[in-house]
Structure formats: C-alpha cells, structure tokens
Amino acid sequence: MHANATLVNYLHLCHRKLWLHANQIRMEHTSEAVAEGKQLHEHAYPQRAERYREIILDGSKIDFYDPYDKVVHEIKKSDKLEHSHMAQVQFYLYLLRRNGIEGATGLIEYPKLRQTQTVRLDDDDVPVVEAWVADIERIVSSDQCPERIAKSKCRSCSYFDFCYAEEE
Ligand code: SF4
C-alpha cells in the first residue's frame, strides 16, 4: 500500500502535491515540522504527554496514541479546521481497525482556535477510506504530474516556487 497519512492529507488538498511528494520531490522539512508539532504538544499538554505512545502501523506513524482510552490525538497549529485533517485522522482510525483495534476515536486540537474536533470511523466510512487509498495508488502511479489547483489555495504550500517558478 502506497497510502500513508501524509498522502491522505495531500489527497484532500491537491493531487499535484500528493504526486510530487510521493515521487520523492521534496521541498519541505518534514522532520522540522514534526518536531515543531511535538513541541507544541508538550508545551500545550505537558501533563498528558506521558499518556501517549508513538506507534507505527502499516508504515504510518501515529505520534500520539492513548492506548488506554483508544484515542488518537492530533494537534494542528493551523488557524482553520480543514477537511484534510479529519481525513488524516480517519485514516489512522482505519489503520487501527485493520490491525484489530476497533472503536478507537480521534481528537484534533487546534490550540490557536481553542477548538477541538472529534473524529470517528463508522462502518460506512470504511469504504470511503478504501476509496482514498485506491485514489492515491492511481494518482501516484501515473506518469503525469497532475495539474495545479487554483493559485489562491496554494499560499502556504512548500511547492509554490516549484509550481509557479516560470511566473515569477
Ligand atoms: S503550489 Fe498549489 S498546485 Fe502546486 S503542489 Fe502546492 S497546492 Fe498544488
């Protein structure tokens, strides 16, 4: 399976970004972003940090999983709720279910917004996630790099210079 949580997230943002990332064209410093996320977590939730475990399932790493309450905890520094965040966490729940852990839930926290979002994976959601996995397989296996999306949605993308270099 090509799919991992990052690719599921990108599938919901931009197919071109998904293709570029999956084909090893890297413009971003993933490890820095992850480290920043961890710092955010430890800073915002010091008393709860020890409750969580990092687990790897089918090649996807879940940074904060609470095995006691079966909760995937995800923190987003974003200042807006994104469907791609929900999709990413639903994919984690799908992986847990595939690996025999039923009934886990997700909790996305947005410290900047002071909001939380609960995520579930119902039976009806499973074929939806499987369709995402199939879409990812199809897109990343293509020889063609997908078209750009509307520039207004590209503002914070690490591939911006790559995609729009000729316009600069
Ligand atoms: S800059 Fe825009 S079109 Fe290019 S990969 Fe990023 S989101 Fe997609």
Side-chain angles (χ1 to χ4, degrees):
M1 179 165 71
H2 274 113
N4 60 39
T6 302
L7 299 184
V8 169
N9 189 322
Y10 290 175
L11 177 74
H12 292 81
L13 290 174
C14 170
H15 289 185
R16 183 177 172 94
K17 182 171 176 134
L18 163 63
W19 188 94
L20 290 168
H21 182 85
N23 285 285
Q24 307 291 327
I25 298 164
R26 296 290 156 82
M27 310 291 283
E28 58 203 335
H29 303 289
T30 310
S31 56
E32 283 177 22
V34 168
E36 196 178 337
K38 281 200 167 146
Q39 272 178 7
L40 187 63
H41 193 281
E42 278 155 22
H43 179 70
Y45 307 98
Q47 75 285 14
R48 283 189 275 162
E50 63 189 32
R51 195 172 175 85
Y52 295 97
R53 301 281 177 276
E54 180 181 290
I55 55 171
I56 297 177
L57 295 171
D58 301 337
S60 277
K61 183 152 72 72
I62 302 177
D63 287 323
F64 300 103
Y65 177 61
D66 173 354
Y68 307 103
D69 292 336
K70 296 201 283 188
V71 177
V72 174
H73 195 185
E74 180 74 20
I75 302 216
K76 294 295 185 193
K77 54 186 175 164
S78 160
D79 55 8
K80 100 173 171 254
L81 276 68
E82 300 267 9
H83 179 55
S84 60
H85 302 158
M86 292 272 293
Q88 179 188 340
V89 174
Q90 276 195 309
F91 182 69
Y92 289 145
L93 301 179
Y94 169 76
L95 291 179
L96 286 164
R97 187 169 163 143
R98 254 170 68 111
N99 285 276
I101 301 169
E102 302 269 345
T105 57
L107 185 69
I108 309 175
E109 304 213 21
Y110 294 87
K112 282 188 188 165
L113 297 173
R114 298 179 181 275
Q115 282 193 40
T116 58
Q117 172 79 55
T118 302
V119 185
R120 300 189 190 287
L121 184 80
D122 296 328
D123 289 347
D124 292 352
D125 296 320
V126 172
V128 175
V129 177
E130 286 172 343
W132 296 343
V133 171
D135 282 347
I136 289 170
E137 296 288 341
R138 177 179 53 76
I139 292 164
V140 307
S141 306
S142 168
D143 293 338
Q144 293 284 325
C145 179
E147 294 294 319
R148 298 180 304 205
I149 59 170
K151 197 174 181 178
S152 58
K153 295 183 180 163
C154 300
R155 228 173 359 108
S156 55
C157 179
S158 58
Y159 291 109
F160 189 88
D161 290 344
F162 179 87
C163 289
Y164 292 98
E166 79 277 14
E167 289 186 13
E168 295 299 316

